[in-house]
Amino acid sequence: MTVEPRTSRTGRHHYRFRSEWDLAVAPAAVYACLGAPDDYPAWWPQIRQVTRTGTGPDAPDTGTARIRSFLPYELTVTVRAGRRDPEARVLEVTLTGDVEGWARWTVLPRHPTGTHLRYEQAVEAHRPLLRLLALPARPLLRANHTWMMRGARRGLRARLAPHEEGI
């Protein structure tokens, strides 16, 4: 995983995250699991709660998520569905609230029957405590995100274990 602050006039509040994993599961099964955000708290320990707030043709798919990793604070974000491309196997959302930006899963085939999974996120911290601690706590914030993504990888692997291929 790489973590890079984005450079801009207020660069100390911007973060870019990227994680990549290989899974011994067919891409279709991985994409289907990631496309069900209501189930994230069941397999991703740091996603504490997901609540849908809008669905259907007249309202975009939106919801709120409560997130907490090992640091003693909780983030609340509103998540709005963005790109959902089953052929390219890309899922993207926009985030507003304590952080603002976007997150994207890209599910790629990996020979012979596995998956290469990429998670990318670009956000700006809006929560006052995160903004205040942007410089002195940057290493802790990076470690917190790394811990969160390890939980996601472990949880997703366990969730998809019944679909695991022998590769």
Side-chain angles (χ1 to χ4, degrees):
M1 179 180 83
T2 59
V3 182
E4 308 165 14
R6 195 172 84 192
T7 57
S8 75
R9 189 168 49 88
T10 58
R12 68 177 182 234
H13 302 127
H14 291 265
Y15 297 87
R16 288 189 64 86
F17 301 100
R18 182 177 174 133
S19 296
E20 299 198 37
W21 319 321
D22 289 324
L23 302 169
V25 179
V30 176
Y31 184 83
C33 185
L34 295 174
D38 295 336
D39 294 340
Y40 279 36
W43 59 266
W44 193 342
Q46 293 79 18
I47 306 290
R48 303 300 171 99
Q49 181 180 16
V50 172
T51 305
R52 279 196 187 260
T53 57
T55 60
D58 296 333
D61 286 341
T62 59
T64 58
R66 287 187 314 107
I67 304 162
R68 180 168 178 187
S69 193
F70 74 84
L71 291 180
Y73 69 89
E74 184 174 275
L75 295 177
T76 301
V77 293
T78 297
V79 181
R80 176 172 293 198
R83 181 177 177 198
R84 186 178 190 99
D85 186 339
E87 287 190 35
R89 293 190 183 103
V90 174
L91 296 163
E92 188 170 305
V93 297
T94 59
L95 307 168
T96 56
D98 290 339
V99 296
E100 187 168 312
W102 57 269
R104 177 188 314 125
W105 291 107
T106 304
V107 180
L108 303 165
R110 188 183 126 238
H111 184 73
T113 58
T115 296
H116 182 77
L117 181 59
R118 179 181 306 130
Y119 177 82
E120 299 167 283
Q121 183 181 46
V123 294
E124 179 177 341
H126 282 276
R127 187 169 183 176
L129 180 61
L130 290 177
R131 292 179 72 82
L132 178 69
L133 298 175
L135 289 177
R138 186 170 288 278
L140 286 174
L141 296 173
R142 288 178 179 166
N144 194 61
H145 193 272
T146 298
W147 183 263
M148 183 174 170
M149 295 312 294
R150 284 184 186 153
R153 183 178 62 227
R154 278 192 303 272
L156 186 59
R157 281 187 172 144
R159 180 76 164 196
L160 293 170
H163 303 282
E164 198 168 293
E165 302 285 335
I167 60 172

